[in-house]
Amino acid sequence: MNSADRHQPTRREFLRQAALAAGCTAAGTITGCGEAGRKADTAGQEVSATGGASSVFIVCDPADVVAAGEPAQWSIKQLQASLSAKSIASGVGQRVGQALAGTLCIVAAGTASPLAREVLSGASVAVPNSPEALGLVPGQLSGRPVLLACGRDIRGLVYAILELADRVDHAANPLAALEIRLPVTEQPANRVRSIMRLFASDVEDKSWYYDKSFWQQYLSLLVAQRFNRFALALGIGYDFTSRLRDTYFHFAYPFLVSVPGYDVRASGLSDAERDGNLEMLRFISEEATRRGLHFQLGLWTHAYQWTDSPNVNYTIEGLSPETHAAYCGAGLETLLKACPAIGGVTFRIHGESGVAEGSYEFWKTVFAGIGRCGRRVEIDMHAKGMDQGMIDLALATGMPVSISPKYWAEHMGLPYHQAAIRPTELPRPDRQDRGFFSRSSGSRSFLRYGYGDLLTEERRYNILHRMWPGTQRLLLWGDPVMAAAYGRASSFCGSNGVELFEPLSFKGRKGSGLPGGRDAYADATLRPARDYEKYLYEYRLWGRLLYNPDAEPDTWRRFLRDEYRGAAVECEGALAYASRVLPLFTTAHTPSAANNNYWPEIYTNMPIVDAARPHPYGDTPSPKRFGTVSPLDPQLFLRVDDCADGLLRGEPMAKYSPIEVAQRLDDLADAALEHLHDAEKEIADRKSPAFRRLVADVAVQSGLGRFFAAKLRAGVLYAIYDLTAEPKALEEALDVYRRARKAWAELAAQAQDVYVRDITFGLDQQLRGHWLDRLPAIDEDIADMEKRAQSPRPADQRIPVSAAEVAQALRVVLGRVQRPAVPLVHVVPPFFSAGQPMPIELMLFDPQGLVVAVRLHYRRVHQAESYQTADLVSQKKDPPVRNAATGDASRWNAAIPSEYTNTSYPLQYYFELRDEAGRAWLYPGFGATLANQPYFVVRQG
């Protein structure tokens, strides 16, 4: 984070940042956008199709196979319903001549149809030649003004028509909203944009599973926001086969189908209920397909025997180890034949599936069931435990194959792919491929929480990144800048896209479900009619900006204007800044990669002082306390203890320190609350449930930002005391930790009447409860810190530093970090050739010669490998490159050697710079919005 990041953002600056992140020149400006969704060149020609119209006529040629398709016809009905809700009459016909005078004529067509070709040719507009591309083009047809809504395929046309419906829905003057004067064309940045909804609780989830009207509305929402895939996940609620309580749909086949030749049942489940479950699954999958959504069924568990589970509600009868594989293959075949709209199946293939890793014959038998269903069905395999044997089995079926690694372990970090995974996940010589988890705990451990070695350019499978719900699961989230950045990052190295767990995922997990609904509101006036309705803005941002990261800001602002009226701008800013708090902290400090252990929204305190204090964070370095926790990206971020040690030793720290992260968290919290304060002054109806929900969740996330900021500083200060026994360091640590405690108490009090006292995402203490429950552990840690004054480190174990050096370190921790800013230019090579050196050049406009060293850090895009380094060599450029403001440029050169480029993997790299004052920083590093990729990637030519 450079010096430009540190000021308090104003409303104008916020809007400018959001507009720039969306690819536009200024907030609200309608201009050309970036590569993923660039608009057609309109040559400055403006055309209007409305002409003062008072009704709408939609032309749909029955000979147009795209427009005549069921999803397109469904979307036309949606547009008509939106118009009718605004008291605007509409009709549908086959020819423009049928439209009455004074009617806005909309032509719905595939781009290859004669109608579309005539309008596009006359308007000199070309719709991108890619799947799901769309166009909204004003023009002429048969001498009459028309608005062409077109798509390269059925989905593209559906998106075009639903875009018009959305404009109508959120406009005070709907017909004016349809007055599109400049052509709009868009194409998707990601081939797959998926939402997963999971069944985890018979108490909390049966109601929505059986609700047909819920599914019709929910699936309509997804396609309107340009998601193109919906995944329904079954059997994902547990990691192991012990301590099970709620197993409805856990081993899914006997809950859905009777398999010919097998007498396998779920105990206590009637045939009528089983058949009703199948009928609902058929309905859901068909409703998704009718809207143009790919329907994916997740079968995450193939275990059928439970251990140490005396309170389990269902067991599986009639199955044995000898019949297990054959039954599963036949069950999958039966299920796919009974539900022909299922387009793909997701499998967990590592040990948590209940099947030992390396059980190739079992999976060969299961996959054969897909082959027998008689159609093309995608095989999607969760990446943990993946090896070449499993990949070959899936490919041998002839079906399309995807592998789905976790994006940021089981959490949500900043919008890029980790520069490195934690050392805990790296393979070690002492790990051998033995036992039930032979691969994921052995030589393939690097695939537990990331993409590992899957991104080879020679792959014959697709990659779909899956973002797990550890970081954000309950509170409102909504940052267009970050969502757009994820839209750019999700096609990383040719990946297909991303699948998101829906908000509230794992609610009621492991038998913790409670009556009263999933939303967890104590205040009944805050409850939305459907649980997802709280998150409509979040769905909009993710769907629209995964499709087109460069979408116009009006894409989301029309919704905000409709919801918050005059306070829309401030509400956008408040939620955007609050939404960056937890992803930043997750990236910089993650005590557990597992969402089952770590829930930062309702954080279980990890002790700064005594590692023996109870906490759930097992997968963290020893001693297991706050200062030793690894960042989720340890290549770019520093641990708390390492920061303290570096400060005392006077070592340059190029990585982002906990002090810098704390500074940014404080700034984000301040900015969010400033916008929230202004929103409260400008909102017309302060009692509106939507506004009150936003106020509550922004306040909580801002409070979390202040808490984590203070705790990071307290952790560094305490580590300084621990290393030096300097009383002032302990005094400052206690003062800052008490401020952290105050911030937590305030946010907990704000949430006290908003949320129920037992918010359950699991049975274990860290997965349930309320913010108020976490205060005692914080108080115990502060008390332990106070006691340390009587037991300092022995003198012979302290770092030998002077009191003045300690005082300087304390000033750094309590102050604001300033990173140098030296103008520079780096041109990323467009590609590299395998087996050939890849030259790297950096030009520095540094007339005073402040920079004394530049180091290149590079690695293949392979998370099991370590970074290599090379020092760049400086020389004056001849002839010099002159810049009027910064002077001559110095040229720094290095090369990635040929033996390293002889690979099937892309390359990634970044620079570390040092100046004569001993300061160090990274390039490209993070920009003002934390929304850029902090390294460069080059693929093979």
Side-chain angles (χ1 to χ4, degrees), residues 745-758:
E746 289 174 350
L747 74 88
Q750 288 173 311
Q752 183 169 3
D753 296 327
V754 175
Y755 289 102
V756 297
R757 285 300 301 269
D758 192 13

PDB file of all heavy atoms in Angstrom, residues 745-758:
ATOM      1  N   ALA A 745     -16.578  -4.768  21.813  1.00  0.00           N
ATOM      2  CA  ALA A 745     -17.750  -4.602  22.672  1.00  0.00           C
ATOM      3  C   ALA A 745     -18.784  -3.700  22.008  1.00  0.00           C
ATOM      4  O   ALA A 745     -19.996  -3.951  22.099  1.00  0.00           O
ATOM      5  CB  ALA A 745     -17.317  -4.029  24.024  1.00  0.00           C
ATOM      6  N   GLU A 746     -18.328  -2.661  21.316  1.00  0.00           N
ATOM      7  CA  GLU A 746     -19.260  -1.747  20.656  1.00  0.00           C
ATOM      8  C   GLU A 746     -19.990  -2.438  19.503  1.00  0.00           C
ATOM      9  O   GLU A 746     -21.206  -2.281  19.351  1.00  0.00           O
ATOM     10  CB  GLU A 746     -18.506  -0.514  20.163  1.00  0.00           C
ATOM     11  CG  GLU A 746     -18.055   0.403  21.293  1.00  0.00           C
ATOM     12  CD  GLU A 746     -17.188   1.546  20.803  1.00  0.00           C
ATOM     13  OE1 GLU A 746     -16.784   1.526  19.602  1.00  0.00           O
ATOM     14  OE2 GLU A 746     -16.891   2.465  21.602  1.00  0.00           O
ATOM     15  N   LEU A 747     -19.276  -3.205  18.681  1.00  0.00           N
ATOM     16  CA  LEU A 747     -19.952  -3.853  17.565  1.00  0.00           C
ATOM     17  C   LEU A 747     -20.892  -4.943  18.080  1.00  0.00           C
ATOM     18  O   LEU A 747     -21.965  -5.177  17.505  1.00  0.00           O
ATOM     19  CB  LEU A 747     -18.942  -4.397  16.548  1.00  0.00           C
ATOM     20  CG  LEU A 747     -18.132  -5.656  16.885  1.00  0.00           C
ATOM     21  CD1 LEU A 747     -18.856  -6.933  16.472  1.00  0.00           C
ATOM     22  CD2 LEU A 747     -16.769  -5.598  16.175  1.00  0.00           C
ATOM     23  N   ALA A 748     -20.494  -5.622  19.158  1.00  0.00           N
ATOM     24  CA  ALA A 748     -21.362  -6.656  19.725  1.00  0.00           C
ATOM     25  C   ALA A 748     -22.642  -6.039  20.271  1.00  0.00           C
ATOM     26  O   ALA A 748     -23.745  -6.602  20.114  1.00  0.00           O
ATOM     27  CB  ALA A 748     -20.620  -7.407  20.823  1.00  0.00           C
ATOM     28  N   ALA A 749     -22.511  -4.879  20.890  1.00  0.00           N
ATOM     29  CA  ALA A 749     -23.704  -4.203  21.413  1.00  0.00           C
ATOM     30  C   ALA A 749     -24.618  -3.751  20.282  1.00  0.00           C
ATOM     31  O   ALA A 749     -25.851  -3.822  20.391  1.00  0.00           O
ATOM     32  CB  ALA A 749     -23.273  -3.011  22.262  1.00  0.00           C
ATOM     33  N   GLN A 750     -24.015  -3.296  19.178  1.00  0.00           N
ATOM     34  CA  GLN A 750     -24.824  -2.871  18.030  1.00  0.00           C
ATOM     35  C   GLN A 750     -25.591  -4.042  17.430  1.00  0.00           C
ATOM     36  O   GLN A 750     -26.695  -3.870  16.910  1.00  0.00           O
ATOM     37  CB  GLN A 750     -23.928  -2.217  16.982  1.00  0.00           C
ATOM     38  CG  GLN A 750     -23.419  -0.834  17.386  1.00  0.00           C
ATOM     39  CD  GLN A 750     -22.391  -0.294  16.404  1.00  0.00           C
ATOM     40  OE1 GLN A 750     -21.444  -0.978  16.035  1.00  0.00           O
ATOM     41  NE2 GLN A 750     -22.586   0.940  15.988  1.00  0.00           N
ATOM     42  N   ALA A 751     -24.999  -5.229  17.501  1.00  0.00           N
ATOM     43  CA  ALA A 751     -25.640  -6.414  16.920  1.00  0.00           C
ATOM     44  C   ALA A 751     -26.581  -7.111  17.893  1.00  0.00           C
ATOM     45  O   ALA A 751     -27.278  -8.055  17.505  1.00  0.00           O
ATOM     46  CB  ALA A 751     -24.567  -7.396  16.454  1.00  0.00           C
ATOM     47  N   GLN A 752     -26.615  -6.662  19.151  1.00  0.00           N
ATOM     48  CA  GLN A 752     -27.325  -7.384  20.196  1.00  0.00           C
ATOM     49  C   GLN A 752     -28.802  -7.559  19.901  1.00  0.00           C
ATOM     50  O   GLN A 752     -29.361  -8.642  20.086  1.00  0.00           O
ATOM     51  CB  GLN A 752     -27.141  -6.667  21.538  1.00  0.00           C
ATOM     52  CG  GLN A 752     -27.791  -7.390  22.713  1.00  0.00           C
ATOM     53  CD  GLN A 752     -27.377  -6.809  24.052  1.00  0.00           C
ATOM     54  OE1 GLN A 752     -26.651  -5.824  24.104  1.00  0.00           O
ATOM     55  NE2 GLN A 752     -27.826  -7.419  25.122  1.00  0.00           N
ATOM     56  N   ASP A 753     -29.454  -6.521  19.448  1.00  0.00           N
ATOM     57  CA  ASP A 753     -30.893  -6.589  19.183  1.00  0.00           C
ATOM     58  C   ASP A 753     -31.204  -6.889  17.722  1.00  0.00           C
ATOM     59  O   ASP A 753     -32.380  -6.997  17.353  1.00  0.00           O
ATOM     60  CB  ASP A 753     -31.553  -5.280  19.593  1.00  0.00           C
ATOM     61  CG  ASP A 753     -31.444  -5.013  21.095  1.00  0.00           C
ATOM     62  OD1 ASP A 753     -31.460  -5.990  21.858  1.00  0.00           O
ATOM     63  OD2 ASP A 753     -31.313  -3.830  21.474  1.00  0.00           O
ATOM     64  N   VAL A 754     -30.163  -7.001  16.921  1.00  0.00           N
ATOM     65  CA  VAL A 754     -30.362  -7.257  15.493  1.00  0.00           C
ATOM     66  C   VAL A 754     -30.395  -8.754  15.209  1.00  0.00           C
ATOM     67  O   VAL A 754     -31.293  -9.257  14.525  1.00  0.00           O
ATOM     68  CB  VAL A 754     -29.251  -6.576  14.670  1.00  0.00           C
ATOM     69  CG1 VAL A 754     -29.380  -6.940  13.187  1.00  0.00           C
ATOM     70  CG2 VAL A 754     -29.293  -5.073  14.861  1.00  0.00           C
ATOM     71  N   TYR A 755     -29.408  -9.478  15.730  1.00  0.00           N
ATOM     72  CA  TYR A 755     -29.261 -10.910  15.447  1.00  0.00           C
ATOM     73  C   TYR A 755     -29.574 -11.739  16.690  1.00  0.00           C
ATOM     74  O   TYR A 755     -29.354 -11.285  17.823  1.00  0.00           O
ATOM     75  CB  TYR A 755     -27.848 -11.215  14.955  1.00  0.00           C
ATOM     76  CG  TYR A 755     -27.582 -10.697  13.560  1.00  0.00           C
ATOM     77  CD1 TYR A 755     -26.853  -9.535  13.352  1.00  0.00           C
ATOM     78  CD2 TYR A 755     -28.084 -11.370  12.448  1.00  0.00           C
ATOM     79  CE1 TYR A 755     -26.609  -9.059  12.070  1.00  0.00           C
ATOM     80  CE2 TYR A 755     -27.850 -10.898  11.161  1.00  0.00           C
ATOM     81  CZ  TYR A 755     -27.116  -9.745  10.973  1.00  0.00           C
ATOM     82  OH  TYR A 755     -26.888  -9.269   9.709  1.00  0.00           O
ATOM     83  N   VAL A 756     -30.040 -12.957  16.465  1.00  0.00           N
ATOM     84  CA  VAL A 756     -30.333 -13.864  17.567  1.00  0.00           C
ATOM     85  C   VAL A 756     -29.043 -14.195  18.317  1.00  0.00           C
ATOM     86  O   VAL A 756     -27.945 -14.066  17.780  1.00  0.00           O
ATOM     87  CB  VAL A 756     -31.003 -15.160  17.066  1.00  0.00           C
ATOM     88  CG1 VAL A 756     -32.337 -14.854  16.421  1.00  0.00           C
ATOM     89  CG2 VAL A 756     -30.100 -15.915  16.090  1.00  0.00           C
ATOM     90  N   ARG A 757     -29.176 -14.634  19.556  1.00  0.00           N
ATOM     91  CA  ARG A 757     -28.008 -14.903  20.388  1.00  0.00           C
ATOM     92  C   ARG A 757     -27.310 -16.208  20.021  1.00  0.00           C
ATOM     93  O   ARG A 757     -26.188 -16.444  20.463  1.00  0.00           O
ATOM     94  CB  ARG A 757     -28.408 -14.927  21.868  1.00  0.00           C
ATOM     95  CG  ARG A 757     -28.666 -13.562  22.464  1.00  0.00           C
ATOM     96  CD  ARG A 757     -27.442 -12.656  22.391  1.00  0.00           C
ATOM     97  NE  ARG A 757     -26.290 -13.222  23.090  1.00  0.00           N
ATOM     98  CZ  ARG A 757     -26.001 -12.993  24.364  1.00  0.00           C
ATOM     99  NH1 ARG A 757     -26.788 -12.202  25.076  1.00  0.00           N
ATOM    100  NH2 ARG A 757     -24.945 -13.532  24.916  1.00  0.00           N
ATOM    101  N   ASP A 758     -27.950 -17.051  19.220  1.00  0.00           N
ATOM    102  CA  ASP A 758     -27.293 -18.289  18.791  1.00  0.00           C
ATOM    103  C   ASP A 758     -27.434 -18.425  17.284  1.00  0.00           C
ATOM    104  O   ASP A 758     -28.403 -18.983  16.772  1.00  0.00           O
ATOM    105  CB  ASP A 758     -27.907 -19.491  19.505  1.00  0.00           C
ATOM    106  CG  ASP A 758     -27.075 -20.768  19.313  1.00  0.00           C
ATOM    107  OD1 ASP A 758     -25.924 -20.654  18.843  1.00  0.00           O
ATOM    108  OD2 ASP A 758     -27.570 -21.862  19.647  1.00  0.00           O
TER     109      ASP A 758
END
